[in-house]
Amino acid sequence: IALGHPIRAAKALPDMFRAMRSEEGQHAVNQEIAKRKNFPLYQQAGLFLSEHGQKLSQMEEQYMSRWAEKIPLVSHSGRAYTTFLNRLRADSFDAMADSLARNKELTPAEAKAIGNYVNAATGRGKLGTKENALVGLNTIFFAPRYVASRFQMIIGQPLYRGTARTRMLIAKDYARFLIGVGVVYGLAQMDDKSQVETDPRSSDFGKIRFGNTRLDPLAGLNQSTVLLSRLGSGKTKSIGGKVTPIRGDKVPFGTGNSADVMSRFLRSKLAPVPGMVVD
């Protein structure tokens, strides 16, 4: 959303810094959102707005911890992160809902489709399980809803529901994101020293390389895209450029197969403590 709507994202920054400075600043921003005319619609549509300091299932996954609120700097960072996302989600929902309502009254199904899209675009995907179970899952995997949202954005899950009007609106937002990414790549290409990997089977896919430094403008979509491309094509590409099969009789000894590719991906998504145990 920030790449597709940079002005909207910039407007959320002052609130982010207010929340970073104090809990009162965070509370003031949340109260402003709660007083909006669309707030009842947020709740009906299932738009996720984090409630920092409340039950764990209502916290952002990256800061889903009681201890995080008690550690200096970490607590400041958590308030800034959650408040920025709340403001961005509310502003995005308002903009999309108002756009549809100008021509025809917004239906409950359309509101839910917009809420689902905004949630997925901001890293709050659906896993089809109860909230309490997700709290437990978050102790094993780091931000499982975020990982799910990246796959949902890639396969176009937000476009499956709603009406023709919401599908067109969401498709336009996808296009704006791609244009924003294109601007970043265009700026990078102005530097003769930069390189961009275009093969989705490589772990460097979509990354802008300046020597040993890599920048990833794909908003977390890179790893999911690479995994799906490798499993779909049955091949993987090394950073050095070598393409190797991961299925069938031609898999070189010791290079790994599809199961190894999947297990490495899952290992990268483990929370710190389970990851240490696996290592």
Side-chain angles (χ1 to χ4, degrees):
I1 287 179
L3 280 170
H5 302 274
I7 295 176
R8 184 187 302 167
K11 288 181 177 179
L13 292 176
D15 285 347
M16 181 187 79
F17 290 118
R18 285 175 66 190
M20 179 183 287
R21 284 194 297 269
S22 68
E23 292 184 12
E24 291 76 14
Q26 181 189 34
H27 180 71
V29 176
N30 288 338
Q31 285 300 302
E32 183 273 323
I33 293 175
K35 291 178 181 178
R36 294 187 183 188
K37 66 175 184 178
N38 279 339
F39 187 76
L41 198 56
Y42 301 161
Q43 297 175 311
Q44 295 170 20
L47 181 71
F48 179 76
L49 295 174
S50 174
E51 297 178 22
H52 202 64
Q54 302 300 316
K55 59 182 182 180
L56 292 177
S57 62
Q58 286 300 111
M59 294 183 182
E60 293 291 349
E61 292 177 308
Q62 287 81 348
Y63 291 89
M64 191 183 287
S65 167
R66 300 292 185 195
W67 289 103
E69 300 173 6
K70 304 180 185 301
I71 303 174
L73 298 183
V74 175
S75 60
H76 292 71
S77 175
R79 290 198 304 268
Y81 181 82
T82 57
T83 302
F84 177 82
L85 280 178
N86 280 352
R87 172 69 190 273
L88 189 62
R89 285 174 181 141
D91 287 353
S92 297
F93 186 97
D94 287 347
M96 297 181 79
D98 291 346
S99 177
L100 287 187
R102 281 198 297 267
N103 301 320
K104 183 182 176 182
E105 186 177 352
L106 193 70
T107 67
E110 289 174 334
K112 288 183 179 180
I114 293 173
N116 175 71
Y117 167 71
V118 173
N119 286 345
T122 55
R124 192 74 181 182
K126 286 183 175 293
L127 287 173
T129 186
K130 295 181 179 179
E131 292 295 337
N132 291 337
L134 288 173
V135 172
L137 189 63
N138 207 73
T139 63
I140 301 174
F141 293 99
F142 184 76
R145 277 184 178 274
Y146 177 79
V147 176
S149 75
R150 301 304 85 186
F151 284 103
Q152 288 166 358
M153 290 298 291
I154 290 171
I155 65 175
Q157 181 264 4
L159 295 166
Y160 301 165
R161 53 190 65 197
T163 64
R165 293 203 308 159
T166 57
R167 284 190 283 271
M168 179 63 69
L169 187 66
I170 293 169
K172 288 180 179 178
D173 236 55
Y174 266 85
R176 290 182 71 106
F177 166 70
L178 293 175
I179 291 170
V181 171
V183 170
V184 175
Y185 285 133
L187 291 171
Q189 289 299 322
M190 294 174 68
D191 189 330
D192 295 335
K193 297 179 181 179
S194 71
Q195 294 179 305
V196 178
E197 175 61 73
T198 58
D199 192 330
R201 298 171 299 182
S202 170
S203 60
D204 266 349
F205 170 66
K207 294 178 182 177
I208 303 168
R209 290 184 292 170
F210 296 91
N212 291 327
T213 301
R214 289 166 169 77
L215 304 178
D216 180 8
L218 292 180
L221 299 171
N222 169 282
Q223 290 180 310
S224 304
T225 301
V226 170
L227 175 67
L228 293 176
S229 298
R230 286 175 171 176
L231 295 178
S233 67
K235 295 179 181 179
T236 183
K237 183 179 180 180
S238 68
I239 293 178
K242 184 179 180 180
V243 177
T244 308
I246 57 174
R247 282 201 303 267
D249 298 332
K250 295 183 179 181
V251 177
F253 177 77
T255 60
N257 54 23
S258 298
D260 295 316
V261 169
M262 192 68 200
S263 65
R264 283 196 298 269
F265 177 83
L266 292 175
R267 166 61 192 88
S268 72
K269 302 306 177 186
L270 288 176
V273 173
M276 182 178 65
V277 172
V278 170
D279 289 345

